[in-house]
Amino acid sequence: MTEQTEKLQTAKSKANRNMAIGLAVFVSCMVGVAYAAVPLYELFCRVTGYGGTTQQASSSPVDVIDREITIRFDANIGYGLAWDFKPITKPITLKVGETAEANYQVVNIGKAPSAGTATFNVTPQAAGIYFNKLDCFCFTYQEVKAGESVKMPVVFFVDPDIDKDPNLETIDTITLSYTFFPQEREEAALTEKKQSKAGIGTES
């Protein structure tokens, strides 16, 4: 093998190595951006109501108007979680601005303790910005023992400003939907840390 050939192979190996390092850095950056995008997207949804994301309120509205809306409740379980999850409150018809409480129930039908975290949304999606929760079990690590039954309440109201939205003037029914996904304690701690950094408060 000539000296020139060796130099070419060395240069080629160095170029391949640099390309591999560059690709690894690129992939790492993309993964980091993806993880960062989750809490930021969630924050965006909470602020705007995009995607049917509801709002978090600290107090009930002062005014209650005559318009009535029926609230229906829906429950779902993500793959890998051996729970029976369902609403135990039937549809509620209330005046806009009136506060109400609904209850869901989780039963661990598996043979071991397991845990999950619930996400939520409402339909129609445009109503999300007007649907406010005063108390909720969403985005909170929930561990349930084998065979255990747990009642999970949510306290809410529909903001009277919905009556000023021409796109929702004919809406008389809103569906509140929760989905539980399996989650380990370590994952929950990481999620809460990311939410904290993004300025997202954990609801309980």
Side-chain angles (χ1 to χ4, degrees):
M1 182 180 295
T2 66
E3 183 178 350
Q4 184 177 4
T5 302
E6 289 180 353
K7 288 182 178 181
L8 287 174
Q9 288 186 344
T10 300
K12 186 176 181 181
S13 297
K14 186 176 180 180
N16 289 339
R17 183 170 62 253
N18 290 339
M19 180 178 292
I21 293 173
L23 287 173
V25 171
F26 175 76
V27 171
S28 297
C29 290
M30 292 303 295
V31 170
V33 169
Y35 273 106
V38 172
L40 291 175
Y41 177 76
E42 185 178 313
L43 175 61
F44 168 76
C45 288
R46 289 196 185 198
V47 172
T48 63
Y50 181 79
T53 303
T54 66
Q55 307 300 295
Q56 180 74 8
S58 58
S59 61
S60 301
V62 175
D63 298 324
V64 176
I65 62 178
D66 289 334
R67 179 178 174 181
E68 292 186 339
I69 287 185
T70 298
I71 310 299
R72 300 181 182 277
F73 307 99
D74 177 59
N76 305 280
I77 290 291
Y79 178 78
L81 194 55
W83 287 6
D84 179 27
F85 177 47
K86 63 183 179 182
I88 55 179
T89 299
K90 295 181 179 180
I92 298 174
T93 299
L94 70 162
K95 291 185 177 181
V96 173
E98 183 180 358
T99 299
E101 178 178 321
N103 288 282
Y104 285 74
Q105 183 183 52
V106 162
V107 179
N108 184 347
I109 57 177
K111 296 181 180 180
S114 55
T117 300
T119 61
F120 61 91
N121 74 305
V122 299
T123 50
Q125 293 185 357
I129 195 170
Y130 302 107
F131 195 100
N132 289 262
K133 294 182 278 73
L134 293 167
D135 190 22
C136 178
F137 54 87
C138 43
F139 296 118
T140 303
Y141 180 87
Q142 305 282 347
E143 185 170 350
V144 185
K145 298 176 182 178
E148 182 181 11
S149 175
V150 179
K151 185 169 71 173
M152 299 181 177
V154 53
V155 180
F156 63 90
F157 65 87
V158 179
D159 193 320
D161 282 347
I162 194 174
D163 205 44
K164 302 175 184 178
D165 191 331
N167 296 317
L168 297 172
E169 60 184 5
T170 61
I171 296 299
D172 59 7
T173 302
I174 295 175
T175 300
L176 174 62
S177 179
Y178 286 92
T179 301
F180 261 109
F181 294 95
Q183 189 167 34
E184 299 295 334
R185 169 60 75 179
E186 293 78 9
E187 294 175 347
L190 181 60
T191 299
E192 291 175 1
K193 184 177 181 180
K194 289 177 180 177
Q195 289 177 344
S196 176
K197 287 184 177 180
I200 303 172
T202 301
E203 299 173 17
S204 57

